[in-house]
Amino acid sequence: MSSAKNLELKLWFSPRSCSFVPHVALCEAGLKAELILAEAGTKEFKSLNPKGRVPVLAIGDDIITEMSAVLTGISWLAPEAHLFGRSPLETIRVYEWLNYLSTTAHAQSFASVWRTERFTNDPDLYPSIQSRGVENIRDVYALIEGKLAESDSNYAVGSSFTVVDPFLVLLYLWAGRLSIEMENTYPKYTLYVNSLLRRESVIEAGKVHANLGA
Ligand SMILES: N[C@@H](CCC(=O)N[C@@H](CS)C(=O)NCC(=O)O)C(=O)O
């Protein structure tokens, strides 16, 4: 990928999903990508990504899966956008957030509520797993609230926009689907998201990923 700047970019997405995050990153970086609606369960899509999940990013012939890797690819194509921070420590903090948000928050907490079949073969156990999942989601929100309250910045890392910001926006909006009250319980998180929702890249990607919280 030595002259990757000139390579064609494609992003496979599905509406209301986590592919919103790299879509915002592409808009923020001013990179043009073909947006392709993924049909996650199909053979064609699995031949692209055997894991059957979005986001998938193509940089020329290179197919990249997994959120952190996809976002790293986008950032590498547009270093001037500083999507992974402006210092080595900020980059470390970005990865620290991304790991937590992709694993504890997304793959464990939200998935146990929305994809409970991945956690047990016994449907009788679904209600119990889902109710614990919602508790875990509240713990995630509480941690985010605490971390955002530690600084006066409008951003999660340092004092400028990074890929962590649209990920936090996404998780906040997903609360709407679970009817979790956010404004009073997580006031700092609410202010932070409201400010990011006015950002051009977030508005642009939001048009494609409409109704993230519904
Ligand atoms: N580990 C993957 C997980 C991605 C993931 O779970 N994506 C969801 C959308 S938010 C998906 O494609 N789900 C399709 C399905 O579950 O069938 C990553 O971090 O990129």
Side-chain angles (χ1 to χ4, degrees):
M1 293 204 305
S2 55
S3 58
K5 282 242 168 221
N6 303 319
L7 293 173
E8 207 184 355
L9 301 180
K10 292 179 188 165
L11 178 70
W12 281 263
F13 76 100
S14 90
R16 304 160 74 219
S17 80
C18 58
S19 50
F20 168 77
V21 181
H23 190 181
V24 173
L26 285 166
C27 295
E28 191 71 32
L31 294 168
K32 292 261 171 291
E34 182 185 350
L35 295 175
I36 303 171
L37 184 62
E39 292 180 64
T42 62
K43 242 183 169 179
E44 286 86 346
F45 187 68
K46 283 203 168 160
S47 69
L48 184 76
N49 178 10
K51 292 170 272 190
R53 311 275 173 89
V54 292
V56 176
L57 178 73
I59 305 179
D61 293 333
D62 289 297
I63 300 297
I64 299 162
T65 67
E66 298 299 321
M67 182 69 84
S68 304
V70 165
L71 294 172
T72 302
I74 294 169
S75 174
W76 184 70
L77 290 170
E80 65 286 354
H82 299 288
L83 293 173
F84 272 67
R86 292 172 182 267
S87 70
L89 186 58
E90 284 188 8
T91 303
I92 290 165
R93 293 294 178 214
V94 168
Y95 278 109
E96 188 179 43
W97 270 113
L98 289 182
N99 275 354
Y100 176 71
L101 298 177
S102 294
T103 58
T104 306
H106 186 188
Q108 178 188 311
S109 307
F110 282 93
S112 65
V113 177
W114 288 335
R115 297 289 191 190
T116 317
E117 70 281 2
R118 289 183 193 150
F119 293 79
T120 178
N121 290 323
D122 180 357
D124 288 347
L125 295 177
Y126 283 14
S128 151
I129 291 171
Q130 286 167 348
S131 105
R132 182 55 207 256
V134 171
E135 280 174 38
N136 288 337
I137 290 170
R138 289 184 192 279
D139 287 347
V140 167
Y141 287 150
L143 182 130
I144 294 169
E145 173 75 12
K147 287 195 80 67
L148 293 176
E150 279 170 10
S151 92
D152 291 333
S153 174
N154 291 330
Y155 304 97
V157 176
S159 54
S160 61
F161 184 93
T162 66
V163 290
V164 175
D165 297 311
F167 210 151
L168 291 177
V169 169
L170 173 83
L171 297 189
Y172 184 97
L173 296 177
W174 274 355
R177 293 201 221 166
L178 297 165
S179 304
I180 296 178
E181 195 286 320
M182 297 298 282
E183 279 187 43
N184 298 316
T185 317
Y186 312 106
K188 173 77 190 191
Y189 192 10
T190 299
L191 271 176
Y192 160 87
V193 167
N194 285 342
S195 139
L196 285 163
L197 287 174
R198 293 193 287 272
R199 201 173 176 95
E200 207 177 308
S201 58
V202 175
I203 293 170
E204 198 54 36
K207 287 179 193 159
V208 173
H209 286 80
N211 299 320
L212 280 163

